[in-house]
Amino acid sequence: MADGEERTTLRPLRPATPRTDSGGGPDGPATGLPRPRRPWLSSGKPADDAAPDPPPTDPVPAEAIDNAAGTTSDATTPDRTDATAAESTPKTTVEESTPESGAPAARRRRVRFGHAVRLPGPRAAARATRAWSRRPSGRLTLPGVFLLVLVAATATAGALLVPATLGAPRPVAVDATADPLPSDLPPSGQVPPPGQFPPPTATLPPGVTPPGTAGPAGGRPSDALAGWARDTGAKVGIDPIAMQAYGYAELVLAETDRACGLSWTTLAAIGLVESRHGQANNAQLGADGRAVPEIIGLPLDGQGNRMRIADTDRGELDRDTTYDRAIGPMQFIPTTWEEIGADADNDGRKDPHNIHDAALAAGMYLCKGGRNLTIPGDWWNAILSYNDVRRYAQDVFDAANRYGQASRT
């Protein structure tokens, strides 16, 4: 300032926003601010290009200032100040813009607790299991798990299959087959009527004792029924010795198993069908009740609809060391006799060829398992357990029915 006039040239201020021109000049257009990290917090409006700064004002020459009469620096300062303020005022609102198209950013959808639990898919689970199986713990655990599963499957199969094959009761007599049920079988609601004396509720007559106890001197326990056996046997056509055996078996079971309700007519029917009361194969009952010669059935070799049972008694009872055979007046299989054999005449022997022992053993077998032979279902099941042939059960029913009716005449 030499002559009292201000000759300093005013230069515009720099804009507040960065410029994009490569030259770095002060007049380049301004761009928008960078997009924030969280676009959902912005207003979502498309960003507009920043308004270009106004062109800078050319400096006023010193000659124009000198020639201006009565003009002071105060007169020109307001105009320059206003222009400078207008140029230097930054934008107060910066809207978000995309780098390329300028389209508004998509609002991200937030799901509550979406990241809290993430369940692995089947492939991830398979990969994890495969990786675990390669570890020492997996190599020890997996074989143990497979072994437990195998043992459980075997036990389940055994529980289902073994009772069906081994648990079924084996028939007592021979020729057990699975013939279809004949159409002429009586309805299951019927049982053969009991015979006349001794009734199921009768007690043992004087001198008659259950097997295993001391009998009366000079005779068998069943000899007390000799009179009844002679009279009733004449009515029904049965040898008195066989009648004594059937009647005595009913009385013994009436004392030892009252719930069974066995009648002598059922035992007599079985004796008729099996051996004609001990007279099959030209045999005869002796005074002691033993069938002579011994009644021995065909070998159980699987032929002729017979069961196949290999020898179990080494030929002691059936005289056959290859296959088992049905034996005695009631045709017991040796294995069944070993289980259920009885000594009804108190001679100290369980003889399947003696009709007294065989009749009592047959009655005990029919009453086995808590059966009540006064119930039709139990009666039929008992006969079929003795010999699982439908025609056989029908023949026993018919014979028992005839004996019961004939004994009451």
Side-chain angles (χ1 to χ4, degrees):
M1 181 182 298
D3 52 359
E5 297 292 338
E6 184 179 0
R7 301 178 184 274
T8 306
T9 302
L10 299 179
R11 302 183 63 180
L13 300 176
R14 294 183 179 179
T17 57
R19 306 182 185 278
T20 58
D21 53 339
S22 59
D27 299 332
T31 59
L33 294 175
R35 189 173 63 178
R37 296 182 61 184
R38 299 181 180 179
W40 59 87
L41 298 179
S42 64
S43 59
K45 297 180 181 180
D48 298 333
D49 293 339
D53 294 337
T57 306
D58 296 337
V60 180
E63 291 79 6
I65 298 175
D66 294 339
N67 295 334
T71 302
T72 62
S73 59
D74 295 336
T76 59
T77 301
D79 297 336
R80 293 194 181 108
T81 306
D82 296 340
T84 305
E87 293 174 355
S88 61
T89 302
K91 295 177 65 176
T92 58
T93 303
V94 179
E95 296 180 354
E96 179 187 7
S97 63
T98 57
E100 297 178 357
S101 62
R107 185 180 298 274
R108 186 167 64 180
R109 184 177 181 181
R110 303 183 66 184
V111 181
R112 292 186 176 182
F113 307 107
H115 61 286
V117 178
R118 293 183 181 178
L119 298 178
R123 294 184 179 180
R127 287 194 298 268
T129 303
R130 192 181 305 112
W132 173 69
S133 64
R134 296 190 182 100
R135 299 175 183 174
S137 59
R139 292 177 181 176
L140 295 176
T141 305
L142 285 180
V145 172
F146 291 151
L147 182 60
L148 288 177
V149 172
L150 181 61
V151 170
T154 304
T156 303
L160 296 176
L161 298 178
V162 171
T165 56
L166 301 181
R170 177 175 291 181
V172 175
V174 73
D175 296 338
T177 59
D179 295 339
L181 186 67
S183 59
D184 59 345
L185 277 181
S188 59
Q190 297 182 10
V191 294
Q196 182 183 16
F197 186 79
T201 56
T203 58
L204 292 175
V208 180
T209 57
T213 60
R220 295 182 302 268
S222 60
D223 287 345
L225 300 177
W228 168 85
R230 182 176 55 255
D231 296 340
T232 305
K235 294 179 180 179
V236 298
I238 300 177
D239 186 280
I241 297 176
M243 280 299 303
Q244 285 184 227
Y246 301 146
Y248 178 72
E250 176 184 340
L251 292 180
V252 170
L253 289 172
E255 291 291 329
T256 59
D257 191 355
R258 294 180 179 273
C260 180
L262 175 67
S263 173
W264 66 265
T265 57
T266 298
L267 294 175
I270 293 176
L272 172 66
V273 175
E274 293 291 353
S275 67
R276 298 197 307 275
H277 310 297
Q279 298 176 359
N281 299 337
N282 297 321
Q284 296 292 328
L285 292 178
D288 57 356
R290 202 170 193 277
V292 180
E294 296 178 348
I295 302 174
I296 299 178
L298 297 176
L300 301 179
D301 53 3
Q303 304 295 324
N305 294 330
R306 295 186 297 272
M307 294 186 302
R308 187 182 187 279
I309 303 178
D311 177 65
T312 59
D313 64 337
R314 293 175 294 182
E316 294 180 1
L317 298 175
D318 56 9
R319 311 295 186 259
D320 190 340
T321 58
T322 304
Y323 297 101
D324 273 350
R325 296 171 180 247
I327 52 178
M330 305 301 281
Q331 289 290 279
F332 277 97
I333 295 175
T335 53
T336 308
W337 181 259
E338 292 295 333
E339 173 192 353
I340 206 74
D343 178 19
D345 55 1
N346 285 345
D347 62 352
R349 294 179 56 202
K350 296 180 180 180
D351 186 3
H353 299 284
N354 187 297
I355 195 169
H356 297 281
D357 295 349
L360 180 57
M364 295 169 59
Y365 184 87
L366 294 175
C367 294
K368 188 175 65 173
R371 294 190 184 102
N372 183 355
L373 300 187
T374 62
I375 300 175
D378 284 0
W379 188 92
W380 285 96
N381 288 334
I383 301 302
L384 291 174
S385 70
Y386 201 93
N387 192 335
D388 191 15
V389 181
R390 308 300 180 178
R391 185 72 259 172
Y392 174 89
Q394 175 66 61
D395 292 342
V396 171
F397 178 89
D398 293 341
N401 189 36
R402 290 195 306 268
Y403 288 149
Q405 293 177 355
S407 66
R408 296 177 180 275
T409 58

